[in-house]
Amino acid sequence: MVRIFCTAGARRHPSRPIWPLRALSMRTLIDVLRDNAVHADRSVTFLRSSGDEHSVSYPDLWLAARKRAHALRQLGLGRGDRVALILPDPDEFVLTFLGALTAGIVAVPMYPPQTLAKLETYGDTVRHVLAASGARALVTTDTLRGMLEEHLIGSSDRAAEASTQIVLERSLHDVTGFDADAPWSVELDDIAFLQFTSGSTSRPKGVMVTFRNLAVNSHAIMFDGLRSTPEDRGVSWLPLYHDMGLIGFVIAPLYALVQVMFLPTTAFIRRPSIWLDAIHRFRGTITFAPNFAYALAARAVTETQAAGWDLSCMRALGCGAEPIQADVLRTFLTRFAKNGLRPESILPSYGMAEATLAITFSDVDSTLTTDRVDVLSMRAGTAKPAAEGTALELVSCGRPFPGHEVAILSPAGKTLGERQVGEVCLRGPSVTLGYFNDASSTQDAFGTGWLKTGDLGYFAEGQLYICGRAKDLIILSGKNYYPQDLERVVSRVDGIRDGQCVAFSRLDALGGEQAVVVAECRKRTPELVQAVMRAVRAEVGVQLSEVVLIKRGTLAKTSSGKVRRREMKQRLEAGELELAVAEDSGGAMPPHVGPRSGATAPLLDGAG
């Protein structure tokens, strides 16, 4: 177990131990907005899809927050009420979010519809979050209002949302009776907003994030982790309705007087070069992104686009939110080394919404640290260093923040030692209050005095390594296999879309566990199925029972891009997967491909 504490004075968190914290961190976000208003030379900048830039100075940010707070209160919303936000434009989202918090109203960030093709599923999510949060109002745009009303009114659960008032964002611009000198204040232990989980393993739950949580975690990120100064500049394309984009780039930088440029998320997905170009132009020093973004940028950015970039300004190139692959980060660093990108800039990290945001950071001045472990020993629950031959390479996520404890616990709650694999558990002032109106789930995750993350990991030389999700383990003949290891191999098979696959286990006809892969491809062929099977057998030692090849864009994911393994398993068992088109080879593709000797279930190509 790792115990790390600061030596400064302590403040008490309700129902939690006294944790040492610096007094500077104990300002509420509203205090910070007010205090920052004296810095007229500092601002946040929003790059719109049109290419126009919209900068809001710190004084104007504080003024806009108070005006929108006043407008929300005029709607009849009071302290502690919930207001949902579905606002695609980053500037309008940020100003309305800060306005809600300034008024003491609990914000409920929600993601806008990603595509018109899946509105039914999106409507289910909207109804669930509104009902779970008890939101009295939903702030959105003219463009989305009709679609949202159609999905809400058309629901059989309409009674649950009947009290939710739809408010147009533009109506918050024009306020009457606003008093610029009126005092605005919130308490550290007030709930600031509900961060609904991504729903990768269950229905989204509303994490209760307090102003104290935000103050503590922002301080840990900006000062303990990034060792930031006002000379830093942030660049982010991350969605603002998720914690890494919202806390990491809207809230935390305000505590350190760090200016930030926000890019449209959709613009990055369409043209990844916009991210690195903004770092070059804005002289960005801090940015964060999931693993997939580094792979996408390294692959999609052209030599012409990168020709004039100077990336030597970047000192904290953060990576988190999904499994981190060492080869992806190394490829990215190598690809842009000639543009001045330093290997020391890479900064893997680990966190989750239930811990506000960040739990561990790598050293901001160190190069990539990895651990090569023996595959066979990992299956037995010990991360033994690999001598030679086949090995699993894991990326260090760094060390816990001061004032927080991270432990590796067995299923029985026993503290495990160095290099023993168990569940990652956390306690400290960044741990949130639990899930809104969900006592059962709160008890399950928070009830032991530790936040049970559900992630498997181990410590080696004081650094945390994450292996996977406990409930996603594939157990075959008593041996543990991590789905991410299978997925990493499958993604490299020619013909499979990079990163667009899931691995899981399911019972065969005799009740035994068998391994399954579901992957996106352009054309399904027996040869591609066999190539996937050979690769997994050769590199991981697993004989797949099924390889199911599905259409592009049909792999179930959360709004933050995480794969939904359990949903894909349920779809497979219900026969609901959309198979990729079989390549025309002069005859029908056979439903079974080469069953292995002794198999108790046929080797399917996706026929279900």
Side-chain angles (χ1 to χ4, degrees), residues 135-352:
R136 289 189 56 198
L138 187 163
V139 182
T140 190
T141 63
D142 288 276
T143 303
L144 294 178
R145 178 179 183 173
M147 183 275 293
L148 291 171
E149 287 182 330
E150 178 183 351
H151 276 272
L152 295 178
I153 294 172
S155 167
S156 60
D157 300 327
R158 174 57 184 166
E161 289 86 42
S163 60
T164 302
Q165 173 188 4
I166 293 186
V167 177
L168 293 180
E169 174 274 328
R170 58 178 168 81
S171 69
L172 304 181
H173 294 189
D174 301 322
V175 296
T176 58
F178 170 69
D179 181 2
D181 297 322
W184 297 92
S185 65
V186 295
E187 301 298 324
L188 281 166
D189 297 313
D190 290 346
I191 298 174
F193 68 98
L194 300 181
Q195 177 66 65
F196 272 79
T197 58
S198 60
S200 59
T201 58
S202 62
R203 295 202 78 179
K205 299 184 287 289
V207 177
M208 296 180 285
V209 183
T210 67
F211 285 97
R212 187 185 299 272
N213 293 145
L214 292 176
V216 171
N217 208 241
S218 294
H219 183 277
I221 292 169
M222 300 306 297
F223 301 114
D224 295 321
L226 295 172
R227 299 201 285 274
S228 191
T229 74
E231 301 306 310
D232 278 317
R233 289 184 163 221
V235 174
S236 176
W237 55 264
L238 297 169
L240 296 176
Y241 43 81
H242 281 297
D243 49 10
M244 192 156 74
L246 179 56
I247 300 173
F249 284 91
V250 175
I251 296 172
L254 290 171
Y255 277 82
L257 294 172
V258 170
Q259 301 181 89
V260 177
M261 171 175 275
F262 295 97
L263 314 176
T265 301
T266 53
F268 164 75
I269 299 300
R270 289 194 303 267
R271 186 163 55 92
S273 62
I274 192 176
W275 177 30
L276 302 181
D277 185 64
I279 291 172
H280 162 71
R281 292 189 300 106
F282 193 62
R283 306 315 295 153
T285 62
I286 300 170
T287 193
F288 268 74
N291 185 87
F292 89 86
Y294 291 100
L296 178 61
R299 182 176 65 250
V301 171
T302 67
E303 292 295 332
T304 300
Q305 290 170 330
W309 291 342
D310 173 13
L311 304 180
S312 61
C313 52
M314 179 53 57
R315 70 177 193 87
L317 198 66
C319 185
E322 65 181 17
I324 304 172
Q325 298 179 26
D327 56 347
V328 167
L329 298 188
R330 280 194 288 260
T331 297
F332 183 88
L333 290 170
T334 300
R335 170 74 169 78
F336 298 107
K338 58 189 174 186
N339 298 97
L341 192 63
R342 298 177 302 108
E344 295 83 5
S345 65
I346 203 68
L347 196 157
S349 59
Y350 170 66
M352 62 191 306

